[in-house]
Amino acid sequence: MSESKIDNRLWSSKARNLSPYVPGEQPQHDDLCKLNTNENPFPPSPKVGEAIIKVLAQQADDLRLYPAPESEELRGALATLYDLDINQVFVGNGSDEVLALVFASFFLKERPILAPDISYSFYPVYANTFGIELVQIPLEADFSISPDAYRRPCSGIIIANPNAPTGLLLSLADIRKLAGEHSNSVIVIDEAYIDFAQLEESSPDVEVSAVNLINEFDNLLVTQTFSKSRSLAGLRVGMAFGNASLIEALTRMKNSFNSYPLDKLAQAGATASVLDVEYFEKTRQQVIDLRTSLTVELTALGYDVLPSHANFVFARPHDGAASQVAEVLREQGIIVRHFDKPRINEYLRITIGTAAQNERLIDALKALQTVADVEAN
Amino acid sequence: MSESKIDNRLWSSKARNLSPYVPGEQPQHDDLCKLNTNENPFPPSPKVGEAIIKVLAQQADDLRLYPAPESEELRGALATLYDLDINQVFVGNGSDEVLALVFASFFLKERPILAPDISYSFYPVYANTFGIELVQIPLEADFSISPDAYRRPCSGIIIANPNAPTGLLLSLADIRKLAGEHSNSVIVIDEAYIDFAQLEESSPDVEVSAVNLINEFDNLLVTQTFSKSRSLAGLRVGMAFGNASLIEALTRMKNSFNSYPLDKLAQAGATASVLDVEYFEKTRQQVIDLRTSLTVELTALGYDVLPSHANFVFARPHDGAASQVAEVLREQGIIVRHFDKPRINEYLRITIGTAAQNERLIDALKALQTVADVEAN
């Protein structure tokens, strides 16, 4: 609805002052090469569909009953996966809902919260929704995050790690520093993309997830999602890990908004995904490998590609004409994400696709460059 | 977690002051006769499972993609069903989520909101969550709602119709009166149970739903759910109908909390349910018929049964010993709902079960009465 037509006479002032999140577009098109919303190029584990069909088949009328409000089976599976207690695990309707509950539970205080100036664009939306002051801390010149820049009074800090859209990874040492220096604030590490992080190819066991620190810091909360590494964006499941008292606050907040956010099929499908460790490990490694080859090819085409730990790359064409490149790609049905924002408007965020999708992208970029070369001569 | 153990040092004051909703218990037990949470005794339309399996089978990897954030297909089906425009329809993760967004969008104002003192117990929870003053208007002596009692300044009114746990129905004439007399307030009619309402057996076409009034009043919002008449409590889908500007506010509020509340399977299943009109009409009539026979049998046992328009009855044993009756039934695996609250603590809310479940309940009550008679002699 266009602004001019809106009759907001009956709206609350909160409703009038919202600045809603705008999701990446979801065009419906057959020959589309959709590299704009960081979905996984691979399907979810086949066990997911099997588990859902089993719910439908074995307990034919099961959907008539309310789901388990606290999703104990799913939380139990996640607790086992990460060697945690079930009361250190919270689940919700996508990590977006989990984050909304986080803002209401821990950030709604007198002092501002801190977040990187370039990060997930839903953070300022939540802050605005709940009337929380958000102070944006500029990324360093190389787009990295320095814990020292966060040394100021705050009620909390939220950092996406790996960060989006840069793909850069903050080390556990730095997260330890942040959590230790702000023991009276809740530090939220949003690990939507953490499963694609790999410090060194030779040592894949180096720890990258802050879940490993939650027994060390009672003020550390880690959020994750099934939408990226588990190929389940369509199922809407997200989670948070932290000290039992933080999880208790989230549970109470949930039960003050909506008691049953996860339907029966989502609970069953997500649980099956967690249990299929082999498929998960295989596909996330495939995405990491495809990222490596895409990075090599983009670099060969003269792109400046940031070292990504996510399922996307953040890349700058040599002339910085990112917006134009996005436009030309779109004409060919290849959708990538361009942010018309200071400091990053010369970059494109490109989701890692299948080998075929990546090839189609590279071919299009090569053709584009040939045209440019011809025009230049 | 017990209160004494909670370390709420890092919680926001909002989190500290919550009084979360307590859902009716969902005991897991094989031989249970579960008549406590108003689930439908019949399974959902078989088309629901078929539609979900089709999503899983035909587009095997479809779950890796985000769902349609505005659920256009489902909203379109609902718009067609009720002869509305699609921009008069909103959907969410169960009507509980829809109601939370309603409170934030329309009730978060200076003046209090009004609701019946005996009604859905989530209303005071939402009011507390959002810091809204809720003034409870006492039901009349016969548990009915009188629009005249609501003639006072307010930012909004919310009424469940049929009301829960009474099952009593407010007429469209009364709703018209409320909406007309409060043209600067949003009047929310929560029609979770409306599909079970029937004014007279001889004239099933008499209109009972306030959806019929939304083109008449721009301040009238009607909420409904798939959890009751559509046997889909396990799928978490609710909706709201109203003037396009009210729907726009809800959409913005949604997109400031969580953009994708309905997963792909829920959207597909709910759409299939809406399209299967025949199954819906058949099962809701069966529930109405079972309610009639249960009412007759309870009355014969000396129970005072309010005239119900919902899929439950609100019934008082002749001696008012509702709590003791619930206790004895529970020992036999029959769970009904008792509210330990002034005015209604002598009543039981009993969900309409299958014919077999209702028979098991009546047999248990008869046996109970026989014991009482023997003891009395």
Side-chain angles (χ1 to χ4, degrees):
Chain A
M1 190 179 282
S2 68
E3 290 293 328
S4 61
K5 276 190 177 172
I6 298 172
D7 166 18
N8 63 11
R9 181 176 67 91
L10 295 164
W11 299 15
S12 65
S13 58
K14 184 185 276 291
R16 287 179 196 180
N17 294 325
L18 293 173
S19 47
Y21 178 70
V22 181
E25 59 179 331
Q26 297 286 347
Q28 303 296 321
H29 195 289
D30 269 355
D31 192 33
L32 210 64
C33 185
K34 196 172 168 307
L35 304 176
N36 67 325
T37 49
N38 300 342
E39 287 139 335
N40 200 304
F42 301 110
S45 158
K47 305 278 185 201
V48 172
E50 287 169 22
I52 292 168
I53 287 170
K54 199 170 154 193
V55 171
L56 293 170
Q58 287 201 339
Q59 307 144 304
D61 75 345
D62 213 39
L63 285 181
R64 73 180 183 87
L65 301 174
Y66 283 92
E70 305 308 339
S71 304
E72 284 83 359
E73 196 183 347
L74 173 56
R75 287 167 56 226
L78 287 166
T80 303
L81 181 73
Y82 287 118
D83 198 17
L84 299 172
D85 193 276
I86 191 170
N87 67 12
Q88 295 176 301
V89 182
F90 179 81
V91 295
N93 184 261
S95 63
D96 283 349
E97 188 197 51
V98 174
L99 289 170
L101 299 173
V102 164
F103 272 68
S105 300
F106 308 118
F107 291 167
L108 196 43
K109 296 178 183 169
E110 295 274 309
R111 288 194 283 200
I113 61 158
L114 313 177
D117 64 337
I118 295 168
S119 193
Y120 185 33
S121 53
F122 218 135
Y123 302 154
V125 173
Y126 294 128
N128 180 66
T129 303
F130 292 106
I132 296 163
E133 186 191 350
L134 185 151
V135 174
Q136 296 192 321
I137 308 294
L139 295 182
E140 306 298 302
D142 62 356
F143 293 131
S144 70
I145 289 169
S146 161
D148 296 340
Y150 291 76
R151 207 172 284 140
R152 56 164 83 191
C154 63
S155 75
I157 297 171
I158 184 161
I159 288 176
N161 192 45
N163 196 16
T166 65
L168 300 188
L169 186 73
L170 194 66
S171 71
L172 286 201
D174 280 344
I175 292 171
R176 212 176 238 125
K177 196 170 171 184
L178 278 170
E181 286 182 357
H182 296 87
S183 57
N184 290 318
S185 307
V186 176
I187 311 302
V188 178
I189 306 297
D190 177 356
E191 293 190 344
Y193 300 102
I194 195 69
D195 295 324
F196 303 112
Q198 206 167 62
L199 278 186
E200 296 170 41
E201 277 192 55
S202 54
S203 50
D205 288 339
V206 173
E207 287 176 352
V208 290
S209 170
V211 172
N212 295 294
L213 305 182
I214 66 169
N215 284 320
E216 203 174 319
F217 297 99
D218 69 357
N219 60 327
L220 182 66
L221 191 85
V222 181
T223 61
Q224 293 187 1
T225 177
F226 282 71
S227 298
K228 310 297 180 184
S229 57
R230 296 187 178 277
S231 308
L232 286 172
L235 205 59
R236 316 310 308 130
V237 186
M239 60 276 216
F241 305 102
N243 180 284
S245 110
L246 299 182
I247 299 305
E248 173 70 12
L250 290 174
T251 305
R252 290 185 183 203
M253 194 61 78
K254 168 186 90 75
N255 287 327
S256 303
F257 276 98
N258 183 17
S259 311
Y260 304 93
L262 282 192
D263 66 56
K264 288 202 172 206
L265 306 180
Q267 291 189 34
T271 304
S273 167
V274 173
L275 297 179
D276 194 352
V277 174
E278 194 185 344
Y279 183 90
F280 170 75
E281 292 296 345
K282 187 182 75 183
T283 50
R284 77 160 165 172
Q285 191 57 52
Q286 282 174 324
V287 172
I288 291 170
D289 294 344
L290 285 164
R291 179 179 70 206
T292 303
S293 53
L294 184 65
T295 302
V296 168
E297 294 187 88
L298 285 170
T299 306
L301 283 171
Y303 279 72
D304 178 23
V305 186
L306 298 193
S308 171
H309 288 273
N311 71 333
F312 56 81
V313 292
F314 203 49
R316 181 185 178 279
H318 70 281
D319 59 357
S323 163
Q324 293 89 317
V325 172
E327 203 55 42
V328 175
L329 290 176
R330 167 177 294 273
E331 284 162 17
Q332 299 174 48
I334 302 170
I335 317 287
V336 300
R337 190 94 188 246
H338 174 253
F339 298 88
D340 193 10
K341 245 186 102 164
R343 290 189 73 188
I344 57 171
N345 57 8
E346 297 194 343
Y347 284 78
L348 295 172
R349 193 193 68 186
I350 306 171
T351 303
I352 307 301
T354 57
Q357 287 178 315
N358 292 352
E359 194 183 328
R360 184 168 156 196
L361 169 76
I362 292 293
D363 286 349
L365 292 178
K366 276 183 186 160
L368 181 61
Q369 212 158 48
T370 310
V371 173
D373 290 347
V374 170
E375 284 176 356
N377 290 329
Chain B
M1 192 180 282
S2 68
E3 290 294 328
S4 61
K5 275 189 179 173
I6 298 171
D7 166 17
N8 62 12
R9 181 176 67 91
L10 296 165
W11 299 15
S12 66
S13 58
K14 184 185 275 290
R16 286 179 196 181
N17 294 325
L18 292 172
S19 47
Y21 178 71
V22 181
E25 59 179 329
Q26 296 288 347
Q28 303 298 319
H29 194 289
D30 270 355
D31 191 33
L32 211 63
C33 184
K34 196 171 169 307
L35 304 175
N36 66 324
T37 50
N38 300 341
E39 287 137 335
N40 199 304
F42 301 110
S45 159
K47 305 279 185 200
V48 172
E50 286 169 22
I52 291 168
I53 287 170
K54 199 170 154 194
V55 170
L56 292 170
Q58 287 200 341
Q59 307 142 303
D61 75 345
D62 213 38
L63 285 180
R64 74 181 183 85
L65 300 174
Y66 283 91
E70 305 307 340
S71 304
E72 286 83 0
E73 196 184 346
L74 172 56
R75 286 167 56 226
L78 287 166
T80 303
L81 181 72
Y82 287 118
D83 198 16
L84 299 171
D85 194 275
I86 191 170
N87 67 11
Q88 295 177 300
V89 182
F90 179 82
V91 294
N93 184 260
S95 64
D96 282 349
E97 189 197 52
V98 174
L99 289 170
L101 299 173
V102 164
F103 272 68
S105 299
F106 308 119
F107 291 168
L108 197 43
K109 296 177 184 170
E110 294 275 309
R111 288 194 284 200
I113 62 159
L114 313 178
D117 64 336
I118 295 167
S119 193
Y120 184 33
S121 53
F122 217 135
Y123 302 154
V125 172
Y126 294 129
N128 180 66
T129 303
F130 292 107
I132 296 163
E133 187 191 351
L134 185 152
V135 174
Q136 297 193 321
I137 308 294
L139 295 183
E140 305 298 301
D142 63 355
F143 294 130
S144 70
I145 289 169
S146 161
D148 296 341
Y150 291 76
R151 208 173 283 138
R152 56 162 85 191
C154 63
S155 75
I157 296 172
I158 183 161
I159 288 176
N161 192 45
N163 195 17
T166 65
L168 300 187
L169 186 73
L170 194 66
S171 71
L172 286 199
D174 280 343
I175 292 171
R176 211 175 239 127
K177 196 169 171 185
L178 278 169
E181 286 182 354
H182 296 86
S183 57
N184 290 317
S185 307
V186 176
I187 310 302
V188 178
I189 306 297
D190 176 356
E191 294 190 344
Y193 300 101
I194 195 69
D195 295 323
F196 303 112
Q198 206 169 61
L199 278 185
E200 296 170 39
E201 276 192 56
S202 52
S203 50
D205 288 338
V206 174
E207 286 176 353
V208 291
S209 171
V211 172
N212 294 294
L213 306 182
I214 66 169
N215 285 320
E216 204 173 319
F217 298 98
D218 69 357
N219 60 328
L220 183 65
L221 191 85
V222 181
T223 60
Q224 292 187 1
T225 177
F226 281 71
S227 299
K228 311 297 182 185
S229 57
R230 296 187 178 278
S231 309
L232 287 171
L235 206 60
R236 315 309 309 130
V237 187
M239 60 278 216
F241 305 102
N243 180 283
S245 111
L246 298 182
I247 300 304
E248 173 69 12
L250 289 175
T251 305
R252 290 183 184 206
M253 194 59 77
K254 167 185 90 78
N255 288 326
S256 303
F257 275 98
N258 183 17
S259 309
Y260 304 94
L262 282 193
D263 66 57
K264 289 203 170 203
L265 306 180
Q267 290 189 35
T271 304
S273 167
V274 173
L275 297 179
D276 194 353
V277 174
E278 195 184 343
Y279 184 90
F280 170 76
E281 292 297 345
K282 188 182 75 182
T283 50
R284 77 159 167 173
Q285 191 57 53
Q286 283 174 323
V287 172
I288 291 170
D289 294 345
L290 285 165
R291 178 180 70 204
T292 304
S293 53
L294 184 65
T295 302
V296 168
E297 293 188 87
L298 285 170
T299 306
L301 283 173
Y303 279 71
D304 179 22
V305 186
L306 297 193
S308 172
H309 289 272
N311 71 333
F312 56 82
V313 292
F314 203 50
R316 181 185 178 281
H318 71 280
D319 58 357
S323 163
Q324 293 90 318
V325 173
E327 202 54 41
V328 174
L329 290 176
R330 167 177 294 273
E331 284 162 18
Q332 299 173 49
I334 302 170
I335 317 286
V336 300
R337 191 94 187 248
H338 174 254
F339 298 88
D340 193 10
K341 244 186 103 166
R343 289 187 75 187
I344 56 171
N345 57 8
E346 297 194 344
Y347 284 78
L348 295 172
R349 194 193 68 186
I350 306 171
T351 303
I352 308 301
T354 57
Q357 287 178 315
N358 291 351
E359 194 183 327
R360 182 168 157 195
L361 169 77
I362 293 294
D363 286 349
L365 293 178
K366 276 183 186 161
L368 182 61
Q369 213 158 49
T370 310
V371 172
D373 290 346
V374 169
E375 283 176 356
N377 290 330

